[in-house]
Amino acid sequence: MRNKQVVMIDARIAKRGSEHGIARHVKELLFNLFKIASGNNKTYFILVNNDNVFLDEVLPSNFKLIILKNSVFSLKSQIELFFVIKKYKPDIFHSPQFIVPLLSTVPLIATIHDMNHLALGNNYSFIKRFYYQFFLQKKLKKAKAIITVSNFSKQEIIKYFKIKPELIHVIYNGVQNNFKPLNFFSQEKIISVLKKYDLPEKYIFTLGNSKPHKNLAKVLESYCLGNFNLPLVILTNIKEQIEDLKQNYNCNKQIKTLTYVAEEDFPIIYGLSKIFIYVSLYEGFGLPPIEAAACGVPSIVSNTTSLPEIMGNNAIYVDPLKLNEIQAGMEFGLQTESTEVQAIVKNGFTWIQKYSWLEMAKETLHIYDNLQ
């Protein structure tokens, strides 16, 4: 009988250059576990692919990388996972995203960030919905623990999967320490970021991917049809669609589309903006608004799903489906000299202290400990 508990964590989603929410969560989980679990009474096997960020790191002695051939979303991955689990015999398998081992009976901890595959089922393929409704639900009912990132998401998991509430642990995401207001950065660094991305000196900022619930089309419509003089900067992977929408609205305003921002540049990208817009239709947590708040930038966010829980009274809330509300929220946020907006910014600095990646890792480690 071995003395050390063996924990296997599937970190394949944390690819080099991947900055989306779940990849960020997995990176921060592991980087902080390296700090607090180095040399403890556990052995950690970290599953990666050849493009993983952890291949560039020097790991503590009780953390071992296992390189898998197949990506986390590959069907072949399930067969590969089965044999890897059989070989290394972990006491716990932690899947920090919604793909779990289907062919193994290994004790499972799963982190489910949201339920948009079912709540917004029309936006997803039949195969993805079927995976959620049949395979994932079946596995989660037998899981040792489920982690989620907000009380909203906990209620969604209960609603769609009929999971016992006591099985679900809410552990909030965090915000990195490098997210700070502009006055923490040198003028040389700020100018270098402006030049690197060819940015205007001040702008309205938003971001989102191609998924319909990110609601970027409504942001663009609100901006193009509103009375806004500042340029709009959009970080997205749908540059061509943005250009098409701009033409549809006959928009002659300055719109700058970015397709990539280096992780170290994000705080300045936020900090240069006058307001940040995040009117997503569905979020399990919502990292960007708390990052904007850490940079001293007021956010216009949706009054739905997890965002009121995550932002409290420290954002400007709008109905994400109503053009006039989004425009009114933007106009209000741009009044940066008003006492109301200044209060949102000031109180936001205090509010975000509750979000810590280190605490997230500590709480996750506590769940590992309790399953010994």
Side-chain angles (χ1 to χ4, degrees), residues 91-97 100-101 106-112 136 139-148 157 163-171 363-372:
D91 298 299
I92 299 170
F93 187 100
H94 182 190
S95 176
Q97 35 70 33
V100 300
V106 62
L108 175 67
I109 298 173
T111 301
I112 304 299
L136 184 59
K139 292 295 289 188
L140 291 185
K141 283 184 178 292
K142 296 180 180 179
K144 296 296 183 182
I146 297 168
I147 298 170
T148 193
I157 294 167
I163 302 289
K164 295 178 181 178
E166 57 269 24
L167 193 66
I168 306 171
H169 305 262
V170 175
I171 303 177
E363 291 181 46
T364 304
L365 184 58
H366 182 67
I367 293 175
Y368 297 165
D369 290 340
N370 286 342
L371 294 183
Q372 289 194 85

Side-chain angles (χ1 to χ4, degrees), residues 182 194 199-204 230-231 233 270-274:
L182 275 184
L194 282 167
L199 292 170
E201 289 190 6
K202 281 293 176 184
Y203 48 83
I204 297 166
L230 280 176
V233 174
Y270 279 119
L272 287 167
S273 64
K274 297 283 279 187

Side-chain angles (χ1 to χ4, degrees), residues 16-36:
R16 294 188 185 102
S18 182
E19 304 299 340
H20 63 80
I22 297 178
R24 179 84 61 85
H25 173 97
V26 174
K27 285 191 284 187
E28 293 295 338
L29 171 64
L30 267 298
F31 283 134
N32 283 283
L33 283 177
F34 295 161
K35 296 175 186 176
I36 63 175

